[in-house]
Amino acid sequence: DGGITQSPKYLFRKEGQNVTLSCEQNLNHDAMYWYRQDPGQGLRLIYYSQIVNDFQKGDIAEGYSVSREKKESFPLTVTSAQKNPTAFYLCASSGTGLSQPQHFGDGTRLSIL
Amino acid sequence: GENVEQHPSTLSVQEGDSAVIKCTYSDSASNYFPWYKQELGKRPQLIIDIRSNVGEKKDQRIAVTLNKTAKHFSLHITETQPEDSAVYFCAARPSTSGTYKYIFGTGTRLKVLA
Protein backbone atom coordinates (compact mmCIF):
# COMPACT_ATOMS: atom_id res chain seq x y z
CA ASP A 1 0.00 0.00 0.00
CA GLY A 2 1.46 3.33 -1.05
CA GLY A 3 0.16 4.91 2.15
CA ILE A 4 2.71 3.26 4.44
CA THR A 5 6.40 3.87 3.98
CA GLN A 6 9.06 1.89 5.79
CA SER A 7 12.73 2.75 5.66
CA PRO A 8 15.34 1.62 5.16
CA LYS A 9 14.60 -1.47 3.07
CA TYR A 10 17.77 -3.18 4.35
CA LEU A 11 19.58 -2.47 7.62
CA PHE A 12 22.69 -3.91 9.21
CA ARG A 13 23.38 -3.77 12.93
CA LYS A 14 26.69 -4.09 14.68
CA GLU A 15 27.04 -5.77 18.07
CA GLY A 16 25.97 -3.48 20.91
CA GLN A 17 24.31 -1.00 18.58
CA ASN A 18 20.77 0.34 18.69
CA VAL A 19 19.06 0.84 15.34
CA THR A 20 15.80 2.57 14.48
CA LEU A 21 13.35 1.51 11.80
CA SER A 22 11.09 4.17 10.37
CA CYS A 23 7.38 3.82 9.62
CA GLU A 24 5.26 6.66 8.25
CA GLN A 25 1.64 6.54 7.09
CA ASN A 26 -0.55 9.07 5.30
CA LEU A 27 -3.79 7.10 5.63
CA ASN A 28 -4.97 9.07 8.68
CA HIS A 29 -5.10 5.83 10.67
CA ASP A 30 -5.17 5.98 14.46
CA ALA A 31 -3.72 2.50 15.04
CA MET A 32 -0.21 1.39 14.09
CA TYR A 33 1.61 -1.89 14.63
CA TRP A 34 5.04 -3.51 14.40
CA TYR A 35 5.48 -7.19 13.55
CA ARG A 36 8.51 -9.42 13.31
CA GLN A 37 8.63 -12.20 10.73
CA ASP A 38 11.31 -14.88 10.77
CA PRO A 39 11.98 -17.01 7.66
CA GLY A 40 9.07 -19.32 6.92
CA GLN A 41 7.21 -18.11 9.99
CA GLY A 42 4.13 -16.09 10.78
CA LEU A 43 3.72 -12.56 12.10
CA ARG A 44 4.57 -11.87 15.72
CA LEU A 45 3.37 -8.62 17.29
CA ILE A 46 6.07 -6.48 18.89
CA TYR A 47 4.22 -3.28 19.82
CA TYR A 48 1.05 -1.51 18.83
CA SER A 49 -0.41 1.94 19.32
CA GLN A 50 -4.06 2.92 19.17
CA ILE A 51 -3.58 6.65 19.64
CA VAL A 52 -0.84 9.26 19.77
CA ASN A 53 1.33 9.16 22.91
CA ASP A 54 0.09 5.70 23.85
CA PHE A 55 1.34 2.22 22.97
CA GLN A 56 1.12 -1.33 24.28
CA LYS A 57 3.49 -4.28 24.32
CA GLY A 58 2.75 -7.14 22.02
CA ASP A 59 3.88 -10.73 22.38
CA ILE A 60 7.63 -10.18 21.88
CA ALA A 61 8.38 -6.63 23.12
CA GLU A 62 11.60 -7.45 24.99
CA GLY A 63 14.62 -5.77 23.39
CA TYR A 64 12.48 -3.30 21.42
CA SER A 65 11.14 0.18 22.07
CA VAL A 66 8.73 2.50 20.25
CA SER A 67 7.36 6.02 20.37
CA ARG A 68 4.21 7.59 18.97
CA GLU A 69 4.69 11.35 19.08
CA LYS A 70 2.81 11.96 15.85
CA LYS A 71 -0.19 10.21 14.32
CA GLU A 72 1.72 9.58 11.11
CA SER A 73 4.85 8.07 12.62
CA PHE A 74 5.63 4.97 14.70
CA PRO A 75 9.39 4.30 14.77
CA LEU A 76 10.76 1.04 16.20
CA THR A 77 14.14 0.87 17.94
CA VAL A 78 15.89 -2.48 18.10
CA THR A 79 18.13 -2.23 21.13
CA SER A 80 21.33 -4.08 21.93
CA ALA A 81 19.28 -6.11 24.42
CA GLN A 82 17.65 -7.90 21.47
CA LYS A 83 20.19 -10.68 20.97
CA ASN A 84 18.66 -12.18 17.84
CA PRO A 85 17.41 -9.24 15.78
CA THR A 86 17.84 -10.76 12.31
CA ALA A 87 14.35 -10.79 10.80
CA PHE A 88 11.92 -9.09 8.43
CA TYR A 89 10.10 -6.23 10.21
CA LEU A 90 6.67 -5.16 9.03
CA CYS A 91 4.82 -2.01 10.03
CA ALA A 92 1.04 -1.79 9.63
CA SER A 93 -1.75 0.67 10.29
CA SER A 94 -5.50 0.48 10.50
CA GLY A 95 -8.56 2.53 11.18
CA THR A 96 -10.35 1.93 14.45
CA GLY A 97 -13.86 1.41 13.12
CA LEU A 98 -15.53 -1.93 12.59
CA SER A 99 -14.15 -4.04 9.76
CA GLN A 100 -10.98 -2.04 9.29
CA PRO A 101 -8.19 -4.16 7.78
CA GLN A 102 -4.54 -3.62 8.44
CA HIS A 103 -2.45 -2.12 5.67
CA PHE A 104 1.20 -3.13 5.61
CA GLY A 105 4.41 -1.41 4.55
CA ASP A 106 7.04 -3.07 2.36
CA GLY A 107 9.13 -4.12 5.35
CA THR A 108 12.68 -3.68 6.57
CA ARG A 109 15.11 -6.58 6.52
CA LEU A 110 17.50 -6.35 9.47
CA SER A 111 20.72 -8.35 9.66
CA ILE A 112 23.63 -8.50 12.08
CA LEU A 113 27.12 -7.63 10.82
CA GLY B 1 -5.49 -16.13 25.73
CA GLU B 2 -6.61 -15.18 22.26
CA ASN B 3 -5.48 -17.60 19.59
CA VAL B 4 -6.05 -18.41 15.91
CA GLU B 5 -5.16 -21.87 14.63
CA GLN B 6 -4.59 -22.29 10.89
CA HIS B 7 -4.41 -25.52 8.86
CA PRO B 8 -2.77 -26.88 6.84
CA SER B 9 0.69 -25.35 7.12
CA THR B 10 1.49 -26.36 3.53
CA LEU B 11 -0.83 -27.22 0.66
CA SER B 12 -0.01 -28.35 -2.86
CA VAL B 13 -2.67 -28.48 -5.56
CA GLN B 14 -2.70 -29.02 -9.30
CA GLU B 15 -3.46 -25.99 -11.42
CA GLY B 16 -7.21 -25.68 -11.89
CA ASP B 17 -8.06 -27.51 -8.68
CA SER B 18 -9.54 -25.88 -5.58
CA ALA B 19 -7.71 -25.02 -2.37
CA VAL B 20 -9.21 -24.69 1.10
CA ILE B 21 -7.50 -23.21 4.14
CA LYS B 22 -9.15 -23.39 7.55
CA CYS B 23 -8.86 -21.26 10.68
CA THR B 24 -10.32 -21.57 14.17
CA TYR B 25 -10.39 -18.69 16.64
CA SER B 26 -10.70 -18.75 20.41
CA ASP B 27 -12.29 -15.40 21.27
CA SER B 28 -16.02 -15.62 20.65
CA ALA B 29 -16.20 -11.81 20.68
CA SER B 30 -14.14 -11.59 17.48
CA ASN B 31 -16.11 -9.72 14.85
CA TYR B 32 -13.88 -9.26 11.83
CA PHE B 33 -11.84 -11.80 9.85
CA PRO B 34 -9.44 -10.68 7.09
CA TRP B 35 -7.31 -12.93 4.88
CA TYR B 36 -3.91 -11.87 3.59
CA LYS B 37 -1.69 -13.15 0.79
CA GLN B 38 2.07 -12.73 1.11
CA GLU B 39 4.43 -13.39 -1.77
CA LEU B 40 8.06 -14.11 -1.02
CA GLY B 41 9.85 -11.08 0.44
CA LYS B 42 6.83 -8.83 0.06
CA ARG B 43 4.18 -7.30 2.25
CA PRO B 44 0.99 -9.15 3.21
CA GLN B 45 -1.90 -7.90 1.11
CA LEU B 46 -5.59 -8.12 1.97
CA ILE B 47 -7.43 -10.40 -0.44
CA ILE B 48 -10.84 -10.79 1.21
CA ASP B 49 -12.49 -10.18 4.57
CA ILE B 50 -15.73 -11.01 6.35
CA ARG B 51 -17.68 -9.54 9.24
CA SER B 52 -19.24 -11.62 11.97
CA ASN B 53 -22.80 -10.88 10.82
CA VAL B 54 -22.16 -12.47 7.41
CA GLY B 55 -21.85 -16.20 6.69
CA GLU B 56 -20.19 -16.12 3.30
CA LYS B 57 -18.52 -13.64 0.95
CA LYS B 58 -17.24 -14.19 -2.56
CA ASP B 59 -14.95 -12.24 -4.86
CA GLN B 60 -14.37 -13.91 -8.21
CA ARG B 61 -12.34 -17.08 -7.52
CA ILE B 62 -11.98 -16.41 -3.81
CA ALA B 63 -14.59 -16.99 -1.11
CA VAL B 64 -14.61 -16.96 2.66
CA THR B 65 -17.11 -18.76 4.90
CA LEU B 66 -17.72 -18.13 8.59
CA ASN B 67 -19.32 -20.41 11.17
CA LYS B 68 -19.68 -18.34 14.35
CA THR B 69 -21.06 -21.23 16.39
CA ALA B 70 -18.00 -23.35 15.69
CA LYS B 71 -15.68 -20.28 15.71
CA HIS B 72 -14.36 -21.41 12.39
CA PHE B 73 -13.71 -19.64 9.06
CA SER B 74 -12.26 -20.84 5.78
CA LEU B 75 -10.73 -19.50 2.58
CA HIS B 76 -11.71 -21.17 -0.68
CA ILE B 77 -9.79 -20.60 -3.91
CA THR B 78 -11.27 -22.14 -7.05
CA GLU B 79 -9.60 -22.73 -10.42
CA THR B 80 -6.17 -22.18 -8.90
CA GLN B 81 -3.43 -20.64 -11.01
CA PRO B 82 0.37 -20.61 -10.55
CA GLU B 83 0.20 -16.96 -9.45
CA ASP B 84 -1.91 -18.05 -6.47
CA SER B 85 1.24 -19.64 -5.01
CA ALA B 86 2.06 -17.68 -1.84
CA VAL B 87 1.66 -17.78 1.92
CA TYR B 88 -1.86 -17.07 3.17
CA PHE B 89 -2.63 -15.74 6.66
CA CYS B 90 -5.98 -15.60 8.37
CA ALA B 91 -6.63 -13.15 11.19
CA ALA B 92 -9.29 -12.33 13.74
CA ARG B 93 -9.96 -9.07 15.44
CA PRO B 94 -11.42 -9.34 18.93
CA SER B 95 -13.98 -6.68 19.76
CA THR B 96 -13.46 -6.72 23.54
CA SER B 97 -11.90 -3.93 25.57
CA GLY B 98 -11.73 -1.52 22.66
CA THR B 99 -8.53 -3.11 21.44
CA TYR B 100 -7.57 -2.94 17.80
CA LYS B 101 -5.15 -5.82 18.03
CA TYR B 102 -5.33 -8.51 15.33
CA ILE B 103 -4.58 -12.15 16.04
CA PHE B 104 -2.92 -13.89 13.09
CA GLY B 105 -2.79 -17.56 12.18
CA THR B 106 0.59 -19.14 11.52
CA GLY B 107 0.17 -19.16 7.74
CA THR B 108 -0.37 -21.68 4.93
CA ARG B 109 2.14 -22.05 2.14
CA LEU B 110 0.14 -22.78 -1.02
CA LYS B 111 1.89 -24.25 -4.04
CA VAL B 112 -0.01 -24.48 -7.31
CA LEU B 113 1.63 -27.01 -9.59
CA ALA B 114 1.45 -26.30 -13.31
Side-chain angles (χ1 to χ4, degrees):
Chain A
D1 293 352
I4 300 180
T5 303
Q6 286 187 244
S7 62
K9 191 175 177 71
Y10 299 96
L11 186 58
F12 298 91
R13 195 192 86 169
K14 295 179 182 178
E15 290 289 337
Q17 185 182 44
N18 292 352
V19 292
T20 297
L21 284 60
S22 171
C23 179
E24 303 276 333
Q25 55 101 358
N26 62 4
L27 299 169
N28 199 34
H29 286 163
D30 284 313
M32 296 187 75
Y33 311 79
W34 275 105
Y35 293 92
R36 169 178 172 144
Q37 189 173 34
D38 291 285
Q41 302 298 311
L43 303 170
R44 292 190 289 169
L45 183 64
I46 305 172
Y47 269 99
Y48 65 107
S49 168
Q50 300 180 170
I51 197 168
V52 174
N53 293 322
D54 187 46
F55 47 83
Q56 289 78 40
K57 292 182 179 180
D59 302 317
I60 56 165
E62 186 173 349
Y64 300 97
S65 65
V66 293
S67 63
R68 187 86 187 276
E69 297 176 1
K70 297 187 301 181
K71 186 175 185 178
E72 302 80 19
S73 179
F74 192 40
L76 173 73
T77 296
V78 184
T79 75
S80 57
Q82 173 49 247
K83 298 305 179 187
N84 184 23
T86 298
F88 187 49
Y89 290 87
L90 285 160
C91 178
S93 71
S94 75
T96 52
L98 186 63
S99 308
Q100 296 288 315
Q102 288 186 324
H103 299 258
F104 287 85
D106 284 330
T108 292
R109 194 166 297 279
L110 176 61
S111 303
I112 293 183
L113 280 177
Chain B
E2 301 149 345
N3 184 48
V4 173
E5 292 187 2
Q6 182 171 348
H7 298 283
S9 56
T10 60
L11 178 60
S12 293
V13 299
Q14 291 292 327
E15 182 178 359
D17 287 350
S18 296
V20 180
I21 302 170
K22 300 180 179 181
C23 289
T24 304
Y25 59 97
S26 61
D27 186 345
S28 57
S30 296
N31 60 2
Y32 175 63
F33 307 90
W35 284 89
Y36 290 87
K37 175 183 180 182
Q38 186 180 29
E39 297 178 3
L40 190 62
K42 298 196 174 178
R43 71 174 85 184
Q45 292 194 301
L46 179 73
I47 55 171
I48 196 167
D49 56 8
I50 192 167
R51 292 174 57 172
S52 59
N53 59 349
V54 175
E56 183 174 357
K57 183 176 178 181
K58 189 173 181 180
D59 182 4
Q60 300 183 332
R61 297 186 297 109
I62 295 174
V64 57
T65 58
L66 172 66
N67 182 330
K68 285 181 60 180
T69 302
K71 293 189 286 186
H72 173 93
F73 59 114
S74 300
L75 178 71
H76 305 253
I77 306 174
T78 58
E79 301 171 23
T80 53
Q81 301 167 4
E83 52 265 37
D84 294 329
S85 296
V87 178
Y88 292 81
F89 292 99
C90 62
R93 179 172 145 174
S95 65
T96 54
S97 306
T99 181
Y100 305 109
K101 187 172 145 181
Y102 294 73
I103 311 300
F104 280 84
T106 49
T108 296
R109 184 173 300 277
L110 174 64
K111 297 180 184 177
V112 179
L113 307 171

